[in-house]
Amino acid sequence: DAKTTQPTSMDCAEGRAANLPCNHSTISGNEYVYWYRQIHSQGPQYIIHGLKNNETNEMASLIITEDRKSSTLILPHATLRDTAVYYCIVRLNQAGTALIFGKGTTLSVSS
Amino acid sequence: DVKVTQSSRYLVKRTGEKVFLECVQDMDHENMFWYRQDPGLGLRLIYFSYDVKMKEKGDIPEGYSVSREKKERFSLILESASTNQTSMYLCASRTTDEKLFFGSGTQLSVL
């Protein structure tokens, strides 16, 4: 699986958009980009994933660059409850394999 | 909604005890996973299973074994608990569209 690089921490004001970057310059053509988050004392929670096109769901938007070497997770109106560690993972959708989590980005949303 | 249930939220055991951590999912998923999470080290994969009676080692299987006798249940076994196995243990199952759903975790303390 391709390696990812994320900033260690980020801050965001409540109500503003939070833009979390992820670099994955060695991504291969059939690897997907996944985002999870982990709120303190809970298990990680799936947010969104994509291959090439931008994706949006009720939680967030995922913007993948045309060369696919980086992506950005966007939380359009961050709230205090969005304070969490956000993990960007790149992997093949292949049976019999597992997701490997890195260190992620700690997002702190403040009022 | 997918439900992944871990039998205990907190567990205290003595060194040398045999410990069973149980995980049950209610969505007929084939893939199930055990991770441990330690401060500064992130989530690390211990074992996973892609079908009944099938298992694969993750990154840190030493000192652990697993059992998958039924599809809905994936057990993690510490044959002889040691203090360095004090950790948060997280179980997950995966949907056919590659989303992981996690349990709430078991905080194990080995004294």
Side-chain angles (χ1 to χ4, degrees):
Chain A
D1 292 345
K3 182 180 168 59
T4 61
T5 305
Q6 297 178 254
T8 302
S9 63
M10 293 183 66
D11 295 316
C12 180
E14 191 177 22
R16 305 296 294 267
N19 298 292
L20 293 94
C22 180
N23 285 321
H24 32 78
S25 58
T26 60
I27 192 170
S28 65
N30 51 358
E31 286 183 310
Y32 286 73
V33 180
Y34 285 82
W35 283 86
Y36 284 77
R37 74 178 182 184
Q38 187 173 22
I39 296 169
H40 183 62
S41 298
Q42 297 181 21
Q45 175 191 25
Y46 167 84
I47 303 174
I48 199 167
H49 76 285
L51 182 62
K52 295 180 182 177
N53 300 323
N54 298 336
E55 301 287 344
T56 295
N57 63 20
E58 65 278 4
M59 290 182 70
S61 295
L62 173 62
I63 308 298
I64 303 173
T65 57
E66 196 168 337
D67 63 6
R68 302 206 330 119
K69 293 185 177 182
S70 65
S71 60
T72 301
L73 179 75
I74 301 171
L75 308 178
H77 306 287
T79 71
L80 298 178
R81 286 175 294 182
D82 292 321
T83 292
V85 179
Y86 287 78
Y87 298 98
C88 170
I89 303 162
V90 172
R91 71 177 289 270
L92 292 169
N93 281 357
Q94 192 171 47
T97 63
L99 249 65
I100 305 299
F101 289 78
K103 299 290 177 67
T105 296
T106 298
L107 174 68
S108 299
V109 181
S110 55
S111 56
Chain B
D1 274 358
V2 176
K3 194 166 183 185
V4 179
T5 304
Q6 294 184 232
S7 53
S8 304
R9 186 74 176 98
Y10 298 96
L11 209 52
V12 180
K13 296 290 181 182
R14 298 234 175 254
T15 303
E17 276 194 78
K18 190 169 186 176
V19 181
F20 292 86
L21 301 183
E22 304 288 346
C23 176
V24 177
Q25 50 96 358
D26 66 353
M27 288 299 290
D28 204 36
H29 293 161
E30 292 182 346
N31 290 236
M32 296 185 73
F33 306 83
W34 275 105
Y35 294 85
R36 66 176 279 179
Q37 187 167 31
D38 302 285
L41 296 177
L43 278 148
R44 292 181 293 167
L45 180 66
I46 306 171
Y47 266 98
F48 66 101
S49 169
Y50 50 91
D51 205 348
V52 175
K53 296 191 186 295
M54 306 302 287
K55 61 185 179 184
E56 289 285 341
K57 292 179 181 178
D59 297 323
I60 49 162
E62 296 79 19
Y64 302 95
S65 62
V66 290
S67 173
R68 184 106 182 261
E69 296 296 319
K70 293 185 178 180
K71 200 171 191 179
E72 67 269 21
R73 186 180 297 270
F74 191 34
S75 303
L76 181 69
I77 304 155
L78 287 66
E79 295 290 342
S80 178
S82 63
T83 54
N84 63 12
Q85 292 178 309
T86 290
S87 185
M88 170 67 81
Y89 289 88
L90 289 153
C91 174
S93 71
R94 185 162 71 194
T95 66
T96 51
D97 59 350
E98 299 290 323
K99 299 172 190 173
L100 273 183
F101 288 86
F102 282 83
S104 301
T106 296
Q107 180 62 51
L108 173 67
S109 297
V110 182
L111 306 178

